[in-house]
C-alpha cells in the first residue's frame, strides 16, 4: 500500500467525511519562547505565571493564536495541500485554556462541498476541532478552501453549502477563561488602565508600531506549527510560480496584528472567538506590517461580571501606516490591506 | 481615558518620578534555548545543570545578559520610545541569580534631567531595577538617554545630573554567585585551565571568531525581550530615516561580544557588574562582529576565597578582525569599533 | 599559561589520544521547540508525549539528529577547527534515548592518522562518544577530517588507518528504543499505515517537499549546537574565501532531509545508526533542499518482534526536485546532489 503523499483533491472529499489528522503535538515553554521571539507579544496574562495565577489561572496559558496555528497546521496535509486559496474562517471558538505540557490533536469533518463553474476546482468546507490530551475540545472552527480537482471530467457532487453564523454569540464566549479574581488584576503591570467600560462602539485605534517580516521568521514560525503547505517554504518552485516568491502563511499576519494590537488593547487579553477572517492580499518577506482596530460591538457575557467582550475588526496593512485607518473605498479594499479580521476579545470589566 | 501610546517626551519626566513598568515575564528553558541559538554561548555554568550543581548552584542560572535584556526591554515603552540616542550605562550590578521559572518585573526612578542647549531634547537619567517573583532585586543599573521634547517652547527643568561611580566597587561583586564548591569545578569541561591568577592587568585577548548578524536574528532576539523600540523592527519607516535601515539593538552587540569572549575567558563565567558601556557606532544586519578584551584590573573579593574579579574592557568591531586590538587613535575610536564595554567578570581562583 | 585558541593542527594529534571535550549541555524542551521551528519534523514519537507514552517511552525522546549535532558540536573546537574538509562518518550508533533534562558531554579518541602526500595536511580519524549525566553512552561514531598542518616540515606520523565497518550490524540496532507496546501505536496519528512489511528492498521514495534555507536559520541551528566552526558564521572572512560565502553545516542538510523523509517514511521514527555519510557538495543559503530515499535493505532484529530495521540511502539535492531520483551517472554524482546518507531507521512491524 501507498500513502497519500499527493494530498487530497476535490474529488477525494465526501460530505460528512471525518478526518483524524496526523501528528499530535505536545506544546511546551519552548514553543512559548519561540512564539514570543517571533511576535513579541506583551499581554501580561500569557507573559507571566505570576500575573496569571493572581487572577485565577493555574499558570500562564498559551497564546490563543499559537493554539490556533498548531491545530490548523495539522489539518493542512489532509485538507489544503492542493488548495488554490484559503477562502475564509467562521464560527471559530476557543473553548478551553491550553497550558505548556498539553498535547493537541485535531479532527475535521467535511461539512460542505461546491464545485466551481470552471470544473477545475471546488470549495471544501471543513469543521476542525482541536483536542487536548484529556479529550476536551480546545478549539472549534470552520474553514473553507478552494481545492484543485484531480480531473476536470470528474462528476460534481451535489452542491452543499453550510449555513454559517456571521458572528459567534457573545453568550458563549468565556469558556476558556476561569472566573477572574478581579482584585488580582494589576492594570499597571498589564500596561493600561483601559477596561471594558472605557471602549466605545465605533472607536478606532491605531496600533502604531510596524513589524518587518523576514523569510527566516515566517518559515520558522510555520514549521513550528508543522504546517506543510509548500508555498511557504520552497523558493525553487515558488520562484517559478504565481508570485515569484514564497507566500507567507496568513496566520503569521494574524499573529503579528494581534501582537501589535497590545498598543491600545493591552487588557483585551484573550481572543475568545473569530467571527470571520479574510486574507485580502498576500504578504511577502521584506514588507512591514501595520495594524489598526475598530470596536464593532460591546457585549456583556451572561453570569460573568468579571469580563466583557469587545467585538473588534483588526485590519493589517503592508508598507502603509495606519494613522488614517485604511480600509475600503466602496467595495474595494485599500490596496495596502492584507487582513480583515473580525473577532471577540475578552477584557476585564 | 486614553493610554500613553506615544511614549513619554522629555517634558513628561520629573525628578524622583517612579515608573512601574508593564508586562512581567516568566523566563523559561525556552528562552534559554533561543538565546543559545542566537548567540551560541559556551560558558559551562549556564550551559549545563550538572556543571552548575557540582559547584553549588541549584541548577544552571540564566545568562546574565539575557536577564539584563529582559529588564531593559520593560523600561523601553516608558523611557526610551522617543529616544534619539542611548547615551550610557553605569553602576550596573547583578544582585541575585535568575533561574528558569522565575518571573521578572521592572521599576525605574528618574534620577536626573538636563535639557540640551538646542531646547529640542534633553537627557533623562533613570535607575532601573529588575525584581524576581519574590521581590528580590536581581539587577540594578543607571542608564541615560537623549529624549525628544514634545515642544521646543516647554520650560526646562532645573538641570540635575546625578553623580555616578566610574566603576562598581569590587567588594560588592559576588552577590549573585553562591559560595563555589571549588573541587566541583572541572576545568576541562569548562574549556580552559586559566583562572584568576593566570590573568595579568594589561593582558589583551583576541576572541578570534566573527559572527555575521542577520535581520531575522536581531529581530527575534529583541522581540524575545519584549523591547518595543521601533528602530529595530520597522524597515518601512527606518528605510526613510537616518540610516536607511533598521538599527540593531545595542544589547545584541553586548551579547555577541560576551559569547565570543569565551575564547580566552572561558572560566569568567559571570558578568557581575557593568561599570560603563558605550555604543560607539551603530550595527546593521550583514555586518560581522569581532571582539577583543583587555584586563583592566584584578581584584580579590572580601570573604570570597573561591572567586576573584577581572575588570575587563571588551571592544567589539564590525567587519574588522581584532588581532591588533583596534581601539582609539587619540580621542577618536577606530572607525570599526562599535562597542566599548567596561565590566567585572568573576572567575575561579 | 595559554589556551589553545588556534585549535589543533595535524601535528597535535597522536594515535590513542583521548580528548575530553568542553561545555556539557543540558537539553530541554526549549531546544526541542527551536529544532522543530528550524526543521518542522513530524514524527509522532518525538512530537507528542502522549504518543510516546502509549508505546512505552516515559515521554517523547529528543530527535536523534539533534542529539548527534549536540555531541558533534562539542568535538569541533578540539578536532576540526583547522579542518579543510569533513570527509566521512562511519559506525555511528544511537545507544540510549535522550530526554529533555538530560545533560550531554563528549569524549573523542584519535584512532587513525595519515599524512597527505602534499605534506600540507593529513587525515585524522576520531571515535567520539556522547554521554548523558549518568555516564551512559548515548551516541558512538567515527568521523574523519582533513586537517591542516602547522608546518609542512613537521615529520609525518606512521600512517594508521582504522578498519571501519561498511555498515552497522542490524543485530545491535535497537538499544535506544524500549520494547514497544504495539497496540499503543496509532497509525492514523502517526500519519501512515505503512510499516516494516510494506517496504521492499529497492523501493524509491520521493519525499516531495522542498525547503529553502536562510542564513539566519542555519546560523541559529549551528549555534544551538555550540558548534564553533568558523565557516558557518563569518561572512567577513568567508566572503574573501573559497566560496565567497558562508558554508552551511553539513548536519543541517541531514536534519532537513530527515524531516522531509516523513513523506513516505512516517513510521520510521528512529534513526538507529548511520552506516556512512558523504557531504557531496556544499550548501549555501537561498538554495532549496529536496530529498529522496531508497530502501537498501530490510532486517529483522533479534529478540525484537516489535520493530524492524530499514537500511535507507537518503539523497538530498539543492534546487532540483527528486521525482526522478537523481543520484549518479557512472562514478559521478548528479551535480545537484549534496548529501548521500546511508543509515538504519527503525519502524514498527
Amino acid at each position: 500500500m501507498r500513502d497519500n503523499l499527493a494530498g487530497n483533491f476535490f474529488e477525494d472529499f465526501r460530505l460528512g467525511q471525518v478526518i483524524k489528522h496526523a501528528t499530535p503535538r505536545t506544546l511546551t515553554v519552548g514553543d512559548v519562547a519561540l512564539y514570543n521571539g517571533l511576535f513579541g507579544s506583551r499581554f501580561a496574562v500569557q507573559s507571566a505565571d505570576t500575573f496569571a495565577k493572581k487572577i485565577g489561572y493555574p499558570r500562564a496559558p498559551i497564546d490563543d493564536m499559537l493554539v490556533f496555528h498548531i491545530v490548523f497546521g495539522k489539518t493542512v496535509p489532509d485538507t489544503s495541500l492542493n488548495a488554490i486559496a484559503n477562502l475564509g474562517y467562521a464560527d471559530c471558538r476557543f473553548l478551553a485554556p491550553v497550558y505548556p505540557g498539553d498535547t493537541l490533536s485535531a479532527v475535521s469533518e467535511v461539512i460542505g462541498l461546491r464545485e466551481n463553474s470552471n470544473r477545475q476546482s471546488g470549495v471544501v468546507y471543513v469543521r476542525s476541532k482541536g483536542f487536548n490530551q484529556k479529550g476536551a475540545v480546545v478549539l472549534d472552527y470552520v474553514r473553507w478552501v478552494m481545492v484543485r480537482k484531480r480531473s476536470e471530467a470528474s462528476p460534481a457532487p451535489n452542491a452543499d453549502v453550510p449555513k454559517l453564523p456571521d458572528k459567534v454569540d457573545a453568550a458563549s464566549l468565556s469558556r476558556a477563561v476561569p472566573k477572574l479574581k478581579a482584585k488580582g488584576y494589576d492594570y499597571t503591570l498589564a500596561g493600561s488602565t483601559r477596561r471594558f467600560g472605557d471602549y466605545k462602539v465605533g472607536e478606532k485605534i491605531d496600533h502604531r508600531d510596524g513589524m518587518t517580516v523576514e523569510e527566516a521568521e515566517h518559515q520558522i514560525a510555520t514549521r513550528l506549527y508543522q504546517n506543510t503547505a509548500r508555498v511557504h517554504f520552497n523558493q525553487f518552485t515558488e520562484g517559478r510560480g504565481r508570485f515569484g516568491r514564497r507566500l507567507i502563511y496568513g496566520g503569521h499576519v494574524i499573529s503579528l496584528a494581534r501582537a501589535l494590537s497590545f498598543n491600545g488593547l493591552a487588557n483585551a487579553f484573550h481572543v475568545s472567538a473569530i467571527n470571520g477572517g479574510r486574507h485580502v492580499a498576500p504578504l511577502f518577506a521584506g514588507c512591514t506590517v501595520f495594524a489598526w482596530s475598530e470596536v464593532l460591538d460591546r457585549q456583556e457575557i451572561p453570569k460573568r461580571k468579571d469580563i466583557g467582550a469587545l467585538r473588534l475588526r483588526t485590519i493589517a496593512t503592508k508598507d502603509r501606516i495606519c494613522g488614517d485607518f485604511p480600509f475600503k473605498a466602496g467595495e474595494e479594499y485599500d490596496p495596502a490591506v492584507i487582513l480583515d479580521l473580525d473577532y471577540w476579545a475578552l477584557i476585564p470589566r
Side-chain angles (χ1 to χ4, degrees), chain A residues 220-266:
Chain A
I220 290 172
T222 311
R223 281 187 299 244
L224 187 71
Y225 319 140
Q226 297 170 312
N227 178 329
T228 59
R230 291 159 183 163
V231 291
H232 309 317
F233 303 112
N234 181 337
Q235 181 59 35
F236 180 77
T237 303
E238 296 309 309
R240 289 151 182 75
R242 244 192 309 180
F243 300 112
R245 47 193 315 200
R246 283 162 278 177
L247 185 64
I248 293 175
Y249 165 48
H252 202 81
V253 180
I254 298 177
S255 285
L256 285 169
R258 170 70 180 153
L260 293 171
S261 77
F262 180 87
N263 287 338
L265 290 164

Side-chain angles (χ1 to χ4, degrees), chain A residues 30-339:
Chain A
D31 298 295
V32 171
L34 189 45
Y35 191 82
N36 283 343
L38 291 163
F39 300 105
S41 186
R42 287 178 287 146
F43 295 96
V45 174
Q46 286 78 19
S47 178
D49 286 337
T50 50
F51 194 99
K53 281 180 185 170
K54 277 192 182 148
I55 63 170
Y57 284 90
R59 64 184 295 184
I62 287 178
D63 190 285
D64 305 299
M65 292 313 306
L66 176 52
V67 171
F68 179 86
H69 299 321
I70 291 283
V71 172
F72 183 99
K74 299 195 180 326
T75 70
V76 168
D78 298 310
T79 61
S80 53
L81 214 55
N82 296 305
I84 297 163
N86 193 24
L87 299 173
Y89 311 103
D91 199 25
C92 172
R93 289 159 292 135
F94 292 85
L95 298 172
V98 177
Y99 299 103
D102 285 352
T103 298
L104 300 188
S105 57
V107 174
S108 295
E109 181 180 353
V110 178
I111 61 167
L113 289 170
R114 182 174 56 76
E115 197 187 54
N116 286 327
S117 56
N118 65 11
R119 304 214 56 191
Q120 295 174 357
S121 59
V123 179
V124 180
Y125 296 78
V126 290
R127 177 173 289 282
S128 299
K129 294 183 185 182
F131 297 87
N132 67 17
Q133 70 281 2
K134 297 171 192 160
V137 179
V138 299
L139 176 67
D140 184 328
Y141 69 99
V142 174
R143 173 191 177 213
W144 54 108
V145 286
M146 193 187 301
V147 179
R148 281 190 189 81
K149 286 179 70 182
R150 190 177 279 109
S151 157
E152 202 174 317
S154 303
N158 293 329
D160 203 313
V161 176
K163 194 168 158 58
L164 296 169
D166 65 349
K167 69 173 174 25
V168 174
D169 185 48
S172 70
L173 289 179
S174 62
R175 285 180 51 186
V177 180
K179 287 275 178 198
L180 295 196
K181 297 173 187 169
K183 285 184 185 166
Y185 197 102
D186 182 328
Y187 290 87
T188 305
L189 282 180
S192 168
T193 54
R194 299 193 79 197
R195 51 179 96 180
F196 184 64
D198 297 314
Y199 291 89
K200 290 198 184 110
V201 174
E203 176 178 349
K204 292 179 179 177
I205 304 160
D206 174 13
H207 301 311
R208 293 179 160 257
D209 289 342
M211 192 63 74
T212 305
V213 183
E214 300 295 322
E215 298 279 14
E217 294 171 353
H218 75 84
Q219 291 198 146
I220 290 172
T222 311
R223 281 187 299 244
L224 187 71
Y225 319 140
Q226 297 170 312
N227 178 329
T228 59
R230 291 159 183 163
V231 291
H232 309 317
F233 303 112
N234 181 337
Q235 181 59 35
F236 180 77
T237 303
E238 296 309 309
R240 289 151 182 75
R242 244 192 309 180
F243 300 112
R245 47 193 315 200
R246 283 162 278 177
L247 185 64
I248 293 175
Y249 165 48
H252 202 81
V253 180
I254 298 177
S255 285
L256 285 169
R258 170 70 180 153
L260 293 171
S261 77
F262 180 87
N263 287 338
L265 290 164
N267 291 317
F269 66 87
H270 171 55
V271 173
S272 167
I274 299 174
N275 300 310
R278 188 165 163 202
H279 297 294
V280 176
L283 177 68
F284 303 106
C287 293
T288 303
V289 174
F290 297 85
W292 66 274
S293 295
E294 178 177 358
V295 180
L296 298 179
D297 196 3
R298 280 175 74 228
Q299 290 290 336
E300 298 186 2
I301 301 172
K303 299 184 187 169
R304 297 294 296 249
K305 301 252 180 250
D306 53 340
I307 43 174
L310 297 180
R311 186 177 175 186
L312 300 164
R313 161 175 288 133
T314 293
I315 298 293
T317 62
K318 60 179 174 191
D319 293 339
R320 186 189 193 297
I321 56 176
C322 289
D324 61 346
F325 312 116
F327 184 37
K328 285 183 175 177
E331 288 297 295
E332 293 292 306
Y333 280 97
D334 182 291
V337 172
I338 56 177
L339 173 73

